[in-house]
Amino acid sequence: MTTLVEIRNPYGLVEGPDGALYICSIDDHKIYRFDRKARQLSVVVDGLNEPYEVRFDKRGDLYFVDMKANVVKRLDRKSGAVTLVAGTGEAGFSGDGGPAAKAQLNQPHAIQFDPQGRLLVCDIRNHRVRRIDPATGTIETVLGGEDRPVRGPRAIDFDPSGTMWLALREGNAVLRVRTGDWALETVAEKLHGPKGIAWSPDGGVWIADTESHQVSRIDPHSGEVKVILDGLKRPHGIYVNAKGEVFVGDSENHRVLLIDPYTLRD
């Protein structure tokens, strides 16, 4: 384990197309770029209201959740312009079937793109997962409500088959979701407020189990949960790159950690 960089209360993080690490700081209300080679930190987006998660689309544009503002926005990689993707700014629930930019969200937390390039949003106070079609801008609920209730959907990732992996904050569980018919299967339970999830190239599922102050790895076949790191302080963001490197936002220790996959071999 290595401390890569110190940042005030890091949450969501992701490796960008340029190989740099992009990190949300909720205390600074900024998104930072950390150049690992030069070991330099720079501000990408400022003036936010607790940014929680950041992701890149296939074009290389940066999408981020501005949680307390109840919106999702996009930073254009070429022009640098920031535009609204979803949310009116007023907390609530509305807008399914219409333009995402006119829909109400209630403290959105995490986002992730599915294999088709559609954007999934954890609309946590509405206990829903909502999906935005980038071609039409339309938003819809895919999980939550009376038909498929989920308690506090907090973080999403996809495996290569297109299966969704969903961490439930209030539900204290990890679900496997078959996106063809949205069938839910509980893979791991008895967690403690998990708030970050990441699929790994070796087939494992990594969890930032926030209120247990641990990072764990789940075997998706057996459901075994193995603690990899403990003694952290409310970790939130977690991301695994194509090399198997694991990046962790050790939030209240104000640092970003790197777990080298070679150190995990038996």
Side-chain angles (χ1 to χ4, degrees):
M1 181 188 76
T2 303
T3 297
L4 276 183
V5 64
E6 295 183 356
I7 286 180
R8 294 177 62 202
N9 222 337
Y11 269 47
L13 40 77
V14 70
E15 192 174 68
D18 57 357
L21 196 62
Y22 291 76
I23 309 161
C24 296
S25 166
I26 69 161
D27 282 3
D28 290 342
H29 306 287
K30 298 175 182 178
I31 296 173
Y32 288 100
R33 178 185 182 272
F34 178 64
D35 186 321
R36 293 177 62 188
K37 292 182 179 178
R39 300 196 68 82
Q40 291 181 341
L41 192 66
S42 57
V43 176
V44 178
V45 186
D46 199 352
L48 304 177
N49 194 354
E50 297 195 7
Y52 265 50
E53 189 62 277
V54 61
R55 289 289 182 261
F56 284 89
D57 67 8
K58 293 178 180 178
R59 293 181 60 238
D61 292 340
L62 182 149
Y63 286 66
F64 59 92
V65 174
D66 201 4
M67 189 273 288
K68 286 289 184 70
N70 301 297
V71 296
V72 178
K73 293 185 175 182
R74 176 180 59 240
L75 173 67
D76 188 282
R77 65 185 175 90
K78 292 184 177 179
S79 70
V82 174
T83 55
L84 179 67
V85 175
T88 64
E90 180 180 354
F93 174 72
S94 69
D96 272 358
K102 295 183 178 180
Q104 287 178 300
L105 307 173
N106 197 341
Q107 294 196 3
H109 276 55
I111 52 175
Q112 183 58 286
F113 288 94
D114 69 11
Q116 291 75 39
R118 298 167 298 193
L119 184 66
L120 282 294
V121 181
C122 286
D123 193 1
I124 195 165
R125 284 289 181 88
N126 285 319
H127 298 284
R128 293 170 182 259
V129 176
R130 303 173 81 180
R131 184 172 66 186
I132 301 167
D133 185 329
T136 64
T138 302
I139 191 170
E140 62 180 330
T141 293
V142 294
L143 285 176
E146 295 180 0
D147 294 336
R148 298 181 181 87
V150 285
R151 295 180 59 205
R154 175 58 177 84
I156 298 171
D157 207 359
F158 289 88
D159 66 24
S161 73
T163 297
M164 178 195 292
W165 295 85
L166 178 66
L168 302 182
R169 187 183 72 176
E170 283 86 356
N172 296 307
V174 169
L175 304 182
R176 177 165 34 210
V177 184
R178 194 170 60 205
T179 53
D181 57 6
W182 300 104
L184 306 177
E185 176 189 358
T186 300
V187 177
E189 297 182 280
K190 298 182 181 180
L191 302 172
H192 299 281
K195 297 181 182 178
I197 191 166
W199 174 264
S200 174
D202 68 1
V205 179
W206 287 76
I207 296 293
D209 198 16
T210 305
E211 307 308 337
S212 70
H213 310 287
Q214 297 173 335
V215 166
S216 298
R217 182 185 181 279
I218 301 172
D219 185 313
H221 303 292
S222 67
E224 178 188 5
V225 180
K226 180 180 180 181
V227 176
I228 304 298
L229 282 180
D230 59 11
L232 305 181
K233 195 170 183 182
R234 303 194 74 242
H236 281 76
I238 191 162
Y239 175 77
V240 185
N241 67 11
K243 298 177 183 177
E245 294 177 314
V246 183
F247 302 89
V248 180
D250 188 9
S251 302
E252 293 185 10
N253 278 324
H254 306 290
R255 60 183 182 171
V256 174
L257 304 177
L258 168 64
I259 306 173
D260 191 310
Y262 293 103
T263 67
L264 302 177
R265 293 182 176 178
D266 295 329

